[in-house]
Structures are given as structure tokens and as C-alpha cells.
Amino acid sequence: MTDTTSSNTSRGQLILPWALLGVASIVLVPGLVRGEVVSPIWNVVMVLLAVGAATYSVVVNRVNPIYGVVMSIAVLHLVVSDAQRDLGVDRPLTWAEILGDLGVAIGLVCVLGFSTARRLGAPAGRYLVEVFVVLTGASIATWVVLTEPLLERGDDLPRALLASVFLPINVLVAAFVVDLWNHGLRTNRSMQFAAIAAIIFVMGSFAERLQLVGTIDLDGSVMAATIYSASAALMLAAIVHPSFRHHLTDSASPDPAVGRARLMMMGVSVLVAVTLTAVRPPDGPADIAFRVVATVLLIVLVVVRLAIALQEHETAHRSLQHRIYTDELTGLATRTRFVEQVGEVIETNWRSEHLPTVTQLNLDRFKNINDTFGHHGANDVLVEVARRIETAAGTFGAFVARIGGDEFAVVDGSTRTIDEAVERAEILRAAVSSPIVINEAPIFITASIGVAMVPKKRSLTAEELLRRADIANHRAKGDGANRVAVFDDSMQANVAKRMDIEHALHGAIGRAEMRLYHQPIVDIGSGRVSGFEALIRWQRPDGTTMSPVTFIPIAEDTGMICEIGAWALRDALGELRRWIDSGVVSPSTTMSVNVSPRQVADPNFANIVRQALIASAVPPHLLWLEMTESMMLDEPELAEHTLREIRSLGVQLALDDFGTGFSSLSLLQNFPIQRIKIDRAFVQGIAENTNDRSLVRTIIALGHSMGLDLVAEGVETVHQLQSLRDLGCNKAQGFLISHPVPAPAMRSTMTALAELAQLSLFQSREPIAEHVDLPIPVPAGAGMVGMSPRGPIGQPVI
């Protein structure tokens, strides 16, 4: 209740002044001008509309009252001026007309000028100089075409000046309208109304002035009724429209053409003034004096504007240089400045005993800091690291720069040997490694460092040296991070090879260069094939076959693994469907497909799996997705969400390479896992190494206690298979059973495996001699089933 009363009271307090202003305008303004009350119906209506429009705009549209007052006074002056025109046509301008027109112009200048100032897009000093250049040029032109003719006609000087000053002000109105138009107000309805009103008013008033001096011949009464009525109506519409408030308060980004538009307006103003002064000769000493003074003032203003432009150019150049060469956050040099400095150091030490060195530092796992402490906390860490590196490098006179988000570089022109360079790199690494306190919590940071030195008797460009340091830095990260790596030529060769692979990977799926091979998984108790693991190979156009160990990490880094993995999933399920339909395998045979961390991180991955199952018509429970422990440790919440969504489809999940990670037990507890795959590293020594045997026994016991399926990988000998059978392992895969085979050879492979299942290895528990070749015929294209138990290790699809 109190709020409503307060609101009504505040609105009443606003309406009262506007009502009083309306009454005063009707009664007093015409009386002050003529000494009598002017009361044509049209003028009374316009006065009331002006007051009502201003009141409505302030109360309803929440416009600042000062704008409503100024615009309403402008309309009132216009109405009174028009009323005075109605009293006579063939006569000179009256004081009422002069003051009325001047009031309208001043009102428009106040509102439009203030609005323009809010959107300057330029320093205030420069903008004011531009305004005065336009005003001075317009004043010179007005003096020549209007003021001097009025004085010749016999008007007194004050009256002539007041009648004339209206025109330069109108020119300013037009300039403000153009400026606001260029500042993004083309779609503002109120601005459109005001602009049209201003243009009509300026053109009509200018024509009326020219009629006074005989330049043109118009019917004054018709012109007044048309021009001033239209202008008043449009101004009232501008005041009432809701966009009037946005016109006054919104800030818009200036259009790049704004500066050119202002220069054009100044140029036109100066050109018109100079042209008219030259064409129309002066008449008397007063005319000469005014023209000289005004022209000198115009020249001074133009010179000042040029001086401001030069100063702004120099300031902008210095600011640009500072931004180019100085890192805003740390104050260190940028990459651009660093490259220049490296070039100078190389040139200075050319053919000297010194061998310049570039050391590149990259903070390890900085993303975790950013995710934990946020943007500001991460920035604090970068600032502190930059300070430490600069301090440490200063002890041997090196130059430091920040060349990337969490990358720093140091160029040292005083090193003589690579050992000295490595020693100084270790100093930098130690400086970074000290704990940093952020939000009262210590943060331990490490850095991977790459070192590159200019070779003896060989010149390198700055970019080449920096690129070598970057290559060495990536080697340091790849070797485990928090270490120093020194560039050598073999690194360059590896990078070139990597780039070749990365380039060739693009479109490899479309060119049908990827191939799936399938390694059988057998039931140790019966020897029956229970499923397959899909393993990928890349057959290059030159006929060579590339192992996934070579290209999968590159595909992972570049993100192409998602496309490759989706293709592998579709192709593997399609093959399984064809085998089941053709009777090659039983309907219960499963297909295992490896997935990468990038795939699990893809929000659309569950849908990809769903679509592959639908397209192949394979029951979901026949699909096993295999993933490593590290994948779940890197993004546990994301991995858990994605895996539970996939599990809800009926797909089964396997933990690959079990035992090689750090949190295997917690993973089994927290994630929806149905199978453990025992890593080949433990299987290899199970027959001879008691520790490996004990570890495998523990893993098998753990799996059985949790109701998990168990698969041993990398089985290569008979004794390994027998040991796994004795320990209670469910299933096995490896070269002893079968190498990975292509899909076309699967029928003959299954025939051979069926014969293998009849061996005593799967039928009895008697000891079997080690290192014997299994007496199974090798079908054509069967993929080396039954060959020597020791051979190259198969690689997973991902």
C-alpha cells in the first residue's frame, strides 16, 4: 500500500509542473512576445500536446525530465513562432519568429548534441574542434548569403545577427543527425522521427531566410503551415515514442565510417565558406573585417584539428607498439618482440664463441589450475611464474617473453656449450617449481622445458630456432613432463613424419584406407569362440600397413579419433551381423571395440553408439566397449555420466589393461564395469614369475568376487594358457590362439579354431609341453592361426 501511494505521489509531483508549464505557455509566452494572448485553436492544441507528450515521456517511458523540457520548449517556441507568422505575411521577420526559430534549433542542438556526445567514438577535445569548424564555416556562409544582405536592406545589426545565427545552428543540427545516424541509431524509431523533423525544419527555415533577401520567392503562409506543423508533429512523435529513452541512454559501437563522415562535413563546410567568400566580393569595412576574422578563426581551427590528428596518430602508434611488444598481463615481451630479439642475438653473436640458446617453458597441467581457481587465480599464477622466470633469467642476462597462454621463452646469447644451456634451463625449472600461494592454498607447478642451440658454423633464423625449442618442449612433455629436453635432428625428422601422418589421416576413412582385423576371444574351459576384439590397421596408398601405435596418438591429439572410432564401431557391428546371419558365428558371439577419451568426452557419443546398434540390428548386450583406466581418471565425472548413459542402452563395458593404472579398485566400485581384461604385462610372466602369478591370482579372485567377466590378453604360450586355466580365468586372447584376421578370412578361421577347441589343452587338465606348434592346418588368409606362439603383438583399435 505504501509503495503504491508513493508511486502515485511521485507521478503527481511530475505532472503538476508540466501542467503549470502548459498554462504559462498558453498565457504568458505569446503575451511576452506580442503583448497580447494568441489563441488559435491549432496553437492551443499543439501547446497542450507538447506538454502532454513531455509528461507522458517522463512518467511512462521514464525519460530524464530535462530532455522532455528541452524538446517541449522547442515545440512551444515553434508553435508561438508560427502563430506570429499568421498575423502577417509580407513583412520582415519579427522578434517572435527569430526567437521561436532560434529556440527550436537550440532545443534540437541540446538533445541531439548531448546524445551524440554520449556516443563520441572520439576524444571530447577533437570532437569540439570538429563542431566549431562546421559552425564557423556555416557562419561565414551565412554572413555572405544572409546577414550582409539584411544589413544592406536596412535591418539593425542585432536583429540581423539573431536572424542569421539560426542557420549555422541548423547546420549543427544536421551534423548531429548524421553523426547519430552513423553511430548505430538507424533502427531507432524516435531517432528517425527527430531526424526527419530536423531536416524539414532546417530546409524550410533556410528557404524562408532566403526569401527575406529575395533569393527565392515562396508563399510564406503556405510554407509555414506545412513545414512547422509537420516538424512539430514529428517532434511530438519522437518524444512520446518509447525508443526516445533508448536513444538517450543506449551506447552503440561507432561505425568505422563515423570519422570519415565528420571529415566530410568539415570539408564541405570549409569548401562552401571559401567558395562563397571568393564569389561574392565584400561590401564595406565591416564585411571585410568579419570575413578576415572568421577566415583566420577557421584556419586556426583546421590547423588545431590537424595537430590533434597528428598527436592522436602518434599516441595510437605508441599504444599499438606497446600492445604488440608487451604482454598485458605479465609485462613481459610478446612473441613478436621475442622473435625480433632472437634475431638480434643471433646476428650479434654470428661467428663468435657464443652459441645463442632459446629455452621454451610450458607449464604442466595448467588447465587444472584454471579449472580449480578460475580465470583470475590462473592469471595470478602466470604473473608470479613470469616474475620468477624473469628474476632467474636475469642472473645470466637472458631475455624473457611470454609467447602463449602458459608458454614462456628465454633467449640467452652468452651460452657456449649445450651443458651450460641445460644447467641454466634447470635453474629456470627450479624457480618455477617452488610452491605458489593462491587463495591461501599452496600450488605446486612444474614446467616442461625445451632447449635449442644455434649449431656451430651454421646459421638459423629466429623462427627456426624457436621452432626447434618448441619441438624439444613437446618431447619433454611426451617423456613425462617436468623435465628438460634438448633438440636434436632426429626430433625434426619425427615431427616431419608426424605431419605427414596427420595430413594423410584427413580423408583416410573416405578413401577406404582403414581396415578392421578381428582377434578371437575364446572360452578357456571349452575352447569355444565367445567373441572378437576389433583391431584397426591403416593401409596406406603405397601398400604399407601402419600400426595403430603410430597413428592413433596423432588422431587422438587432432580430434580425428572421433571419426575413426565411429567408423570402427559401425563397421565392427556390421561385420558381426553378417557373420551371425551367414552362420559363421553363433548368435551369442560378442564384438569388443576400443574407445578413446575423446570419444567418451563427446556429448553425442551415446547417440553414436545407439545409431550403430540400430543400423546393424545387433542386440546391445553383444557389444563390449573397452576403455583404459587413465580415461576414467582424467575426467571421472564426465566418464561416469557417459558410461552410465551407454550402459542404459544395454551395452557392456570392459576395463582394458587392468592393473597398470593407479585406482583400479575404486574404478570397479564407482563405474558400471562388467569385465576386466588382464594386461599382457602380467600374463607374459605368469608361468615363470611368482610375483606375476600372484598378481594375476589376486585380479581373478577380485573379479570373481565382484561377479565380473575375466579376459587375459597377450596369451602366447601353452603354459600361459594352462596357468590361466588353473587360476580360474574365464577367457583368453592372444597369438597362441589366433592373430588378428581380416573379415573375409573369418569363416576359415572359425573352422580352424573349432579344431583347436578339440585339443587336450581345452579338454583336460594334464600338463602340456611348452613351445609346441599347434597341429592345426592354416586356412588361406586365416591370419596365421596356429603359427609360432611368439610373434608381433597385436594392437588395439584405439
Side-chain angles (χ1 to χ4, degrees):
M1 188 66 176
T2 304
D3 294 340
T4 304
T5 304
S6 174
S7 175
N8 293 335
T9 301
S10 62
R11 291 194 178 191
Q13 291 174 348
L14 285 171
I15 293 172
L16 180 60
W18 293 110
L20 293 176
L21 178 61
V23 174
S25 300
I26 295 172
V27 177
L28 297 178
V29 174
L32 289 175
V33 174
R34 291 276 299 185
E36 57 182 322
V37 176
V38 179
S39 57
I41 296 176
W42 184 88
N43 291 323
V44 172
V45 171
M46 291 301 295
V47 168
L48 293 177
L49 286 175
V51 175
T55 305
Y56 179 87
S57 184
V58 171
V59 175
V60 178
N61 293 336
R62 306 290 185 183
V63 173
N64 191 322
I66 188 173
Y67 301 116
V69 171
V70 172
M71 292 296 283
S72 294
I73 291 176
V75 175
L76 292 175
H77 275 286
L78 190 152
V79 172
V80 173
S81 177
D82 184 60
Q84 296 299 318
R85 287 183 177 86
D86 291 339
L87 297 178
V89 177
D90 299 325
R91 47 136 181 89
L93 281 176
T94 66
W95 286 104
E97 292 165 349
I98 293 172
L99 294 175
D101 290 352
L102 193 58
V104 176
I106 291 174
L108 290 171
V109 167
C110 288
V111 174
L112 297 176
F114 184 81
S115 302
T116 307
R118 294 177 62 86
R119 301 168 172 84
L120 285 179
R126 186 183 82 183
Y127 188 76
L128 289 176
V129 171
E130 292 171 350
V131 168
F132 280 109
V133 168
V134 174
L135 184 60
T136 304
S139 298
I140 295 175
T142 301
W143 174 272
V144 173
V145 299
L146 181 61
T147 308
E148 180 60 24
L150 286 175
L151 291 175
E152 289 180 4
R153 194 180 67 178
D155 285 8
D156 57 277
L157 182 60
R159 180 189 180 90
L161 289 178
L162 279 176
S164 303
V165 75
F166 168 78
L167 291 181
I169 292 177
N170 272 347
V171 172
L172 276 187
V173 170
F176 287 143
V177 168
V178 172
D179 219 359
L180 286 173
W181 204 263
N182 284 327
H183 276 83
L185 294 180
R186 296 177 178 87
T187 58
N188 185 285
R189 189 67 64 189
S190 175
M191 180 59 206
Q192 292 172 357
F193 290 149
I196 297 173
I199 292 171
I200 292 175
F201 185 73
V202 168
M203 292 175 61
S205 298
F206 186 73
E208 187 179 27
R209 263 35 176 210
L210 294 179
Q211 182 197 22
L212 290 176
V213 296
T215 304
I216 60 175
D217 185 16
L218 294 173
D219 186 340
S221 60
V222 174
M223 182 178 63
T226 304
I227 291 175
Y228 297 110
S229 298
S231 296
L234 287 169
M235 270 193 274
L236 289 174
I239 298 171
V240 173
H241 201 277
S243 61
F244 183 62
R245 179 184 52 165
H246 303 302
H247 154 64
L248 297 170
T249 58
D250 287 358
S251 59
S253 300
D255 191 284
V258 170
R260 294 192 295 271
R262 288 179 184 156
L263 288 176
M264 184 182 69
M265 286 188 289
M266 286 192 298
V268 169
S269 179
V270 172
L271 180 62
V272 170
V274 172
T275 302
L276 290 175
T277 302
V279 170
R280 304 190 67 165
D283 183 17
D287 190 6
I288 295 175
F290 177 85
R291 295 191 185 197
V292 170
V293 172
T295 304
V296 170
L297 176 61
L298 184 61
I299 293 172
V300 170
L301 289 172
V302 171
V303 171
V304 170
R305 177 62 182 84
L306 291 175
I308 292 175
L310 290 174
Q311 183 181 10
E312 288 180 351
H313 177 74
E314 293 178 359
T315 302
H317 180 71
R318 288 194 298 268
S319 177
L320 180 62
Q321 289 290 100
H322 180 78
R323 289 196 299 269
I324 292 175
Y325 288 140
T326 306
D327 179 61
E328 184 178 355
L329 177 64
T330 63
L332 296 177
T334 60
R335 182 186 182 92
T336 302
R337 178 68 187 95
F338 184 77
V339 171
E340 292 182 1
Q341 182 67 22
V342 173
E344 294 173 6
V345 170
I346 293 176
E347 184 177 357
T348 302
N349 292 278
W350 174 245
R351 297 186 182 279
S352 72
E353 60 181 2
H354 298 121
L355 299 175
T357 302
V358 168
T359 302
Q360 182 172 318
L361 300 89
N362 186 266
L363 302 184
D364 300 324
R365 295 173 293 278
F366 185 74
K367 182 179 180 298
N368 295 340
I369 296 175
N370 203 23
D371 293 341
T372 303
F373 295 95
H375 181 68
H376 294 293
N379 283 348
D380 292 342
V381 172
L382 290 174
V383 171
E384 176 60 21
V385 168
R387 186 193 64 80
R388 294 182 179 186
I389 295 175
E390 190 173 28
T391 301
T395 59
F396 42 86
F399 183 85
V400 182
R402 181 187 177 207
I403 60 174
D406 59 349
E407 293 180 339
F408 300 86
V410 179
V411 57
D412 186 358
S414 62
T415 50
R416 292 180 173 84
T417 65
I418 193 63
D419 291 338
E420 184 180 12
V422 171
E423 180 181 346
R424 293 180 177 181
E426 290 289 354
I427 294 175
L428 297 175
R429 189 170 68 89
V432 172
S433 300
S434 301
I436 298 175
V437 178
I438 300 294
N439 297 335
E440 300 182 356
I443 300 176
F444 294 90
I445 298 178
T446 60
S448 298
I449 300 178
V451 178
M453 176 175 281
V454 175
K456 293 182 179 179
K457 299 181 180 179
R458 181 181 170 187
S459 176
L460 289 178
T461 66
E463 287 287 358
E464 288 174 332
L465 190 58
L466 186 56
R467 184 165 56 251
R468 290 185 169 202
D470 183 63
I471 292 172
N473 181 267
H474 279 84
R475 170 61 65 85
K477 274 191 171 297
D479 289 345
N482 191 26
R483 63 187 62 213
V484 177
V486 180
F487 176 86
D488 60 52
D489 292 334
S490 65
M491 293 183 184
Q492 184 74 47
N494 291 336
V495 169
K497 180 180 178 181
R498 177 188 173 92
M499 290 298 296
D500 175 68
I501 294 174
E502 182 177 331
H503 177 75
L505 269 177
H506 287 281
I509 297 294
R511 296 190 299 269
E513 294 176 4
M514 293 296 173
R515 303 282 187 274
L516 281 187
Y517 285 63
H518 303 272
Q519 187 171 40
I521 300 173
V522 300
D523 184 283
I524 295 179
S526 65
R528 181 182 64 84
V529 175
S530 63
F532 299 90
E533 180 180 358
L535 306 169
I536 199 167
R537 300 292 184 269
W538 182 12
Q539 188 170 343
R540 302 290 298 273
D542 59 4
T544 61
T545 300
M546 184 175 292
S547 167
V549 171
T550 303
F551 69 86
I552 288 299
I554 299 175
E556 182 78 27
D557 291 343
T558 59
M560 287 184 283
I561 193 66
C562 294
E563 179 187 0
I564 295 174
W567 169 84
L569 182 64
R570 293 191 302 269
D571 192 80
L573 290 176
E575 290 292 355
L576 179 61
R577 180 75 269 167
R578 285 188 287 273
W579 294 338
I580 293 175
D581 292 344
S582 60
V584 175
V585 299
S586 69
S588 62
T589 305
T590 64
M591 178 64 71
S592 298
V593 179
N594 290 266
V595 296
S596 76
R598 281 288 188 100
Q599 289 177 273
V600 174
D602 182 3
N604 195 43
F605 181 56
N607 185 55
I608 292 174
V609 175
R610 183 185 297 107
Q611 294 301 322
L613 290 169
I614 293 173
S616 63
V618 171
H621 70 277
L622 297 184
L623 173 62
W624 285 88
L625 295 183
E626 299 185 4
M627 58 215 67
T628 61
E629 299 173 3
S630 60
M631 179 192 310
M632 303 179 190
L633 293 174
D634 292 339
E635 297 284 352
E637 295 181 359
L638 177 62
E640 182 179 3
H641 173 77
T642 303
L643 296 182
R644 291 194 182 280
E645 186 177 3
I646 292 173
R647 185 72 185 102
S648 67
L649 301 176
V651 176
Q652 305 193 81
L653 304 176
L655 187 58
D656 202 9
D657 302 332
F658 184 80
T660 59
F662 302 98
S663 304
S664 300
L665 298 181
S666 64
L667 293 178
L668 295 177
Q669 184 179 11
N670 298 328
F671 289 87
I673 302 298
Q674 289 79 49
R675 171 181 285 178
I676 293 175
K677 299 197 74 173
I678 305 172
D679 188 68
R680 68 180 69 252
F682 303 116
V683 175
Q684 293 299 314
I686 191 173
E688 299 88 5
N689 190 302
T690 56
N691 289 334
D692 287 347
R693 188 178 181 87
S694 298
L695 285 173
V696 173
R697 179 187 291 111
T698 302
I699 293 173
I700 293 173
L702 176 65
H704 285 317
S705 67
M706 298 185 70
L708 301 177
D709 191 40
L710 294 157
V711 177
E713 296 183 288
V715 179
E716 299 180 1
T717 68
V718 174
H719 278 179
Q720 290 172 359
L721 183 62
Q722 186 178 29
S723 298
L724 290 169
R725 184 189 64 187
D726 294 341
L727 292 175
C729 185
N730 305 109
K731 299 177 177 68
Q733 69 180 96
F735 288 171
L736 176 68
I737 300 164
S738 173
H739 283 246
V741 297
M746 189 53 64
R747 184 178 294 276
S748 58
T749 300
M750 289 298 296
T751 301
L753 290 173
E755 298 178 11
L756 177 65
Q758 304 303 316
L759 292 180
S760 59
L761 174 65
F762 297 106
Q763 301 299 325
S764 70
R765 302 183 64 86
E766 296 298 325
I768 299 177
E770 182 72 55
H771 298 306
V772 297
D773 287 341
L774 300 178
I776 302 175
V778 182
M784 298 174 286
V785 173
M787 292 182 66
S788 172
R790 296 196 181 276
I793 299 175
Q795 300 297 336
V797 60
I798 294 171

